[in-house]
Amino acid sequence: MKRFSLVSRVGLLACVVALVVGTIVAAALLAILSLRKSEQSESRAKDVTVATLGVQTLAIEIESSLRGYVISNNHSPRYLTTLHQARGQLPGALSRLDRLVGDDPIQLRRAHDAAGQLQSYLRDYVDNVILIAKISPPDARGAASSDEDKRRTSAIRGTLRSILQTENLRSVRRAVHTRAVSRTAVIIGVVGLAGSAVLVLLFGAWVASGVAAPLRRVAAAATEVTRGDFSVRLDEGGAGEVGTLVSAFNSMARSLEVGRRELLLQNERLRESEQHKRELISMVSHELRTPLSAVLGFTSLLLERDFPPEEQQRYLEIVDTQARRLASLAGDFLDVQLLEGGGFELERAPFDLIELAREQTRLFFSHTELHELVLDLPDEPLIIDGDRDRLAQVVGNLLSNAIKYSPEGGVVRVHVGTQDGRAVFSVSDSGLGIPPEDRDRVFDKFFRGAAKETTVGGTGLGLAVAREIVTTHGGSIAVDSSVGHGSTFTFELPLTLTPAATVSA
Amino acid sequence: MNGNSPDGRPRALIVEDEDTLRELIIVTLGEAFDCQEAIDADTALEMLRAAPPDLMLLDIAMPGRSGIDVLREMRADPELQKVPVCVVSAWQSPRDVAAALEAGADRFLAKPFRVDELASVARSLVERRR
């Protein structure tokens, strides 16, 4: 039943109610027709009875006036007048009866019988008795009281009585049938009306259960949505249009929920990026100030005071290193723009990766006494085709991280080699290490992990830039780390030159 | 009263984690002060308690505890309450400056500082105390 749409529910009910009403009307029509027929046949029966009684009256008048005429001694003409009058009326009365029973063969035959009996009575008996009476009254008296008179008149009466009885019987039967038909019509009407009322009530309940209740649930759920609860869902299903409404509501709530989740996520990302920018600005100003202090301080000391040449040399070296640090910071911020703009322009040329490793380690380990450098490099050059400056930036970043994140000092191991036709470069330290939950994020820009809470400086850009450079070269970069034992950063690059070319280089 | 160094110069304790800046401050003040150095808060407090100096130059952001922690402990210690402190910090928002002065700093120098200003602030702090 649940599958019926509302339109088909209403249509179905309309059909059933129409059928019931049609039946009631048909029954009433039948009853009315039957009543009318019954009325007609009753009035015909009445007419036939009246006509028959008329004939009978005439017959009795003829009989009694004949007897009066015969019995009275003076043969009063008064009796004959009455008899003639009655006789004169008889054909009219008979033909009326004939006409009335014309459609009924049995009654017609009886009417004809009665007419024949009357005619033969008048012709063969009445006329003869009058004739006898005129000639010999006593003989006529004998004849009038004879058996023949009785026989003939009782035969006529019998015929007329049978007409009356038949007509009466038919009238009664018709009345009984009519009563039965109207009783049936009344029963059909009452049962039909009651049935229709029950049907309408049932339909109301059906509509209430199939439409009103689900609509109420949809309205309540819509109110929840208005209040901001997009997680509300309705049970799917329901009759036709209601089911469609429920599933449309659910998909609306779903898409609202998804939309809001996306908005919240986007908002969260925007907030995070805003936070990163604020931290970056603060970090930049702090990161710049330390080397700037050294550069400005030592230059003004060198300008104002006289120092022995070896001290002058040392201070100038400090100024040089710190100025480079500033330049590298400026480079990092330029790289942010490159990262945001997407992609680097590489200036590729063949160069020796081993030589690059030696140069960068020399640069980074000249100022630290806490760290011990272990170089694990092959003897032959390892020529690759790439952007030397950019890759130097990557190596420099890994080396400075290795030093920065092992503040207690320790061994920094640099290994370069080949594996599966690719150049592999790794830098291991024995420093703080990276917690597992942060390992996937160290290459995200501005991510600084636990370093944010310490005074280990940095912008959180170095590794993001390094990854961008390595992947633009067609390589990859990864980290392996253990908290408290140190980290190993490894990047690999495709080897683009053959071993023969390597040897000749 | 804290006892100058044997050659009569006042003693200054330089607390700074950045090697080059520590060296810069020592070179700047070296003629007028007998400089001692500490690279973190704990070493600084240890040295303070061993022999209270005539002046302290204090960085705020350092590995481990911060310069603010050092200031608070000093100001709670009757022996160290009077030691003049000049904070030298790269963090110089009004909030950072207020936090340093509230914790008991006498002066606040922002990085990058001018070396002549550093020298004159150091001198005036020591003289004012005398």
Side-chain angles (χ1 to χ4, degrees):
Chain A
M1 289 303 257
K2 286 260 170 191
R3 294 284 162 264
F4 282 117
S5 72
L6 291 182
V7 171
S8 39
R9 282 187 187 199
V10 173
L12 193 68
L13 178 92
C15 286
V16 171
V17 170
L19 208 67
V20 170
V21 169
T23 311
I24 294 170
V25 168
L29 272 175
L30 274 177
I32 288 166
L33 281 177
S34 175
L35 270 174
R36 189 183 287 171
K37 220 172 180 180
S38 164
E39 251 168 38
Q40 278 172 355
S41 86
E42 209 166 318
S43 81
R44 196 197 79 137
K46 236 177 249 163
D47 290 348
V48 170
T49 305
V50 168
T52 313
L53 286 174
V55 171
Q56 196 169 10
T57 309
L58 289 174
I60 290 168
E61 258 176 34
I62 290 167
E63 187 196 333
S64 57
S65 55
L66 177 68
R67 199 166 293 153
Y69 177 72
V70 170
I71 290 167
S72 63
N73 286 323
N74 54 355
H75 295 305
S76 168
R78 188 170 49 92
Y79 291 110
L80 271 185
T81 313
T82 308
L83 191 148
H84 286 306
Q85 268 175 356
R87 194 172 183 171
Q89 284 167 3
L90 197 59
L94 279 171
S95 75
R96 194 159 55 245
L97 180 61
D98 232 33
R99 207 168 50 246
L100 283 170
V101 298
D103 56 348
D104 186 339
I106 296 169
Q107 295 285 72
L108 190 62
R109 188 169 47 77
R110 283 184 185 142
H112 286 166
D113 283 354
Q117 283 165 338
L118 271 165
Q119 262 167 13
S120 113
Y121 171 64
L122 285 169
R123 192 181 57 235
D124 298 341
Y125 182 76
V126 174
D127 288 347
N128 288 337
V129 170
I130 291 171
L131 199 68
I132 292 167
K134 278 178 182 165
I135 299 159
S136 165
D139 287 336
R141 273 199 290 277
S145 57
S146 70
D147 282 347
E148 192 181 349
D149 175 60
K150 272 190 193 128
R151 190 178 46 80
R152 283 182 182 265
T153 53
S154 75
I156 291 165
R157 273 194 207 115
T159 307
L160 290 175
R161 200 166 44 246
S162 72
I163 293 176
L164 283 174
Q165 274 170 350
T166 303
E167 211 54 47
N168 194 36
L169 197 64
R170 286 205 179 147
S171 170
V172 167
R173 272 199 201 131
R174 172 62 63 189
V176 167
H177 174 69
T178 302
R179 259 203 305 282
V181 166
S182 38
R183 201 168 39 236
T184 310
V186 166
I187 289 171
I188 289 175
V190 168
V191 169
L193 282 176
S196 300
V198 169
L199 260 177
V200 168
L201 281 176
L202 281 177
F203 177 74
W206 196 14
V207 166
S209 75
V211 179
L215 278 185
R216 255 202 308 279
R217 281 190 293 124
V218 171
T223 310
E224 289 294 301
V225 168
T226 315
R227 291 199 187 113
D229 178 10
F230 295 157
S231 66
V232 61
R233 294 284 182 281
L234 296 167
D235 292 337
E236 296 269 349
E241 295 84 345
V242 172
T244 313
L245 175 68
V246 166
S247 57
F249 177 89
N250 278 348
S251 57
M252 177 196 75
R254 237 187 323 273
S255 71
L256 277 175
E257 195 179 24
V258 168
R260 184 172 64 174
R261 203 181 306 134
E262 271 168 13
L263 270 180
L264 284 176
L265 215 69
Q266 213 168 5
N267 209 11
E268 184 55 34
R269 261 188 242 121
L270 275 175
R271 232 200 320 266
E272 236 169 61
S273 134
E274 202 52 39
Q275 176 70 13
H276 280 149
K277 275 197 183 127
R278 262 201 305 278
E279 281 169 12
L280 176 69
I281 289 169
S282 161
M283 187 56 65
V284 168
S285 72
H286 182 253
E287 283 292 301
L288 291 174
R289 277 167 210 284
T290 301
L292 211 50
S293 298
V295 170
L296 291 172
F298 279 110
T299 42
S300 70
L301 284 178
L302 283 164
L303 287 171
E304 283 164 17
R305 296 190 200 172
D306 284 329
F307 290 106
E310 63 274 17
E311 276 183 44
Q312 274 187 21
Q313 179 64 30
R314 172 164 171 70
Y315 300 156
L316 281 172
E317 271 173 17
I318 291 175
V319 168
D320 180 61
T321 311
Q322 297 301 318
R324 279 176 198 280
R325 193 168 148 193
L326 283 174
S328 133
L329 278 171
D332 275 1
F333 295 121
L334 276 178
D335 289 340
V336 179
Q337 283 184 315
L338 283 173
L339 278 180
E340 311 233 304
F344 291 86
E345 286 283 325
L346 293 181
E347 288 176 25
R348 284 173 183 270
F351 71 91
D352 180 8
L353 196 58
I354 308 303
E355 192 267 319
L356 179 82
R358 290 190 197 284
E359 173 200 283
Q360 290 294 314
T361 48
R362 211 164 33 241
L363 213 67
F364 278 88
F365 283 83
S366 60
H367 299 307
T368 172
E369 283 146 19
L370 284 170
H371 299 88
E372 184 194 338
L373 173 67
V374 175
L375 283 176
D376 175 15
L377 308 175
D379 293 334
E380 323 77 72
L382 180 59
I383 305 297
I384 63 161
D385 184 33
D387 188 325
R388 192 183 190 282
D389 288 347
R390 286 293 185 193
L391 290 171
Q393 193 182 346
V394 173
V395 172
N397 180 265
L398 296 186
L399 291 174
S400 84
N401 279 349
I403 292 168
K404 205 156 69 175
Y405 290 100
S406 49
E408 309 283 317
V411 174
V412 174
R413 196 182 138 86
V414 175
H415 162 80
V416 184
T418 56
Q419 194 184 349
D420 303 331
R422 289 167 85 83
V424 178
F425 196 120
S426 68
V427 177
S428 310
D429 64 56
S430 47
L432 306 170
I434 303 163
E437 66 269 21
D438 287 350
R439 266 168 226 164
D440 289 338
R441 300 182 63 197
V442 290
F443 297 106
D444 291 351
K445 84 185 153 183
F446 300 130
F447 181 79
R448 299 186 60 232
K452 217 156 52 181
E453 275 78 49
T454 70
T455 52
V456 175
T459 55
L461 287 169
L463 286 174
V465 173
R467 181 173 63 176
E468 188 70 22
I469 294 171
V470 170
T471 52
T472 310
H473 275 88
S476 62
I477 187 165
V479 63
D480 185 21
S481 185
S482 151
V483 175
H485 295 94
S487 310
T488 299
F489 282 86
T490 305
F491 69 87
E492 44 153 48
L493 298 167
L495 275 174
T496 46
L497 295 186
T498 59
T502 308
V503 171
S504 70
Chain B
M1 72 178 172
N2 297 324
N4 291 350
S5 63
D7 61 9
R9 288 180 299 167
R11 291 191 323 127
L13 177 59
I14 320 295
V15 189
E16 167 67 63
D17 63 316
E18 194 74 39
D19 295 347
T20 52
L21 292 191
R22 213 164 50 243
E23 187 171 353
L24 175 66
I25 294 169
I26 290 168
V27 173
T28 306
L29 302 180
E31 285 178 357
F33 288 85
D34 172 17
C35 293
Q36 291 183 308
E37 34 187 318
I39 59 160
D40 59 37
D42 293 333
T43 317
L45 283 166
E46 210 173 287
M47 292 173 73
L48 278 167
R49 291 197 175 112
D54 299 298
L55 169 70
M56 182 163 78
L57 292 167
L58 179 63
D59 187 13
I60 296 297
M62 291 180 292
R65 296 205 288 158
S66 77
I68 299 289
D69 295 329
V70 176
L71 272 172
R72 291 211 182 103
E73 282 204 26
M74 279 176 75
R75 295 320 185 201
D77 185 337
E79 292 285 308
L80 302 173
Q81 246 169 10
K82 296 275 169 18
V83 176
V85 177
C86 176
V87 163
V88 182
S89 176
W91 300 99
Q92 48 197 278
S93 72
R95 206 178 51 190
D96 296 321
V97 177
L101 294 179
E102 228 166 18
D106 297 288
R107 285 294 304 268
F108 189 100
L109 269 186
K111 291 176 186 172
F113 51 85
R114 291 172 56 89
V115 284
D116 47 1
E117 194 186 0
L118 176 73
S120 80
V121 165
R123 231 178 359 255
S124 76
L125 278 176
V126 172
E127 271 163 22
R128 197 168 67 191
R129 189 167 170 260
R130 280 190 169 150

